[in-house]
Amino acid sequence: MQKTKKSIAKRFKITAGGKVLRRSPGKRHLLSAKSIKQKRAMGHDKPVCPGVAANVKKAMPFA
């Protein structure tokens, strides 16, 4: 039986179209040194590159 890798399921999201999204790093601390524009851009999810996306989809068979 193939199981979902829970550590990966918490970090990535698969859209209805099959794209894999990840969170942006750097939004937890030391925020006063970062610009408003930089912090706003970190609020959006980013797509994962195709090589990594294939591994993520393999680890999440039911997503």
Side-chain angles (χ1 to χ4, degrees):
M1 182 180 133
Q2 194 173 11
K3 292 184 178 179
T4 299
K5 189 79 172 174
K6 295 308 246 182
S7 60
I8 290 178
K10 292 168 191 172
R11 288 170 171 82
F12 297 95
K13 181 169 73 173
I14 298 179
T15 63
K19 284 188 272 187
V20 181
L21 300 178
R22 63 173 173 84
R23 309 270 176 273
S24 299
K27 193 95 192 280
R28 294 209 180 257
H29 64 116
L30 303 175
L31 296 176
S32 59
K34 297 177 176 83
S35 69
I36 298 292
K37 184 178 179 181
Q38 194 177 0
K39 286 185 273 192
R40 196 182 324 113
M42 282 182 217
H44 306 297
D45 292 345
K46 307 268 188 308
V48 175
C49 62
V52 176
N55 292 336
V56 170
K57 285 182 184 176
K58 218 178 285 183
M60 296 171 63
F62 304 107

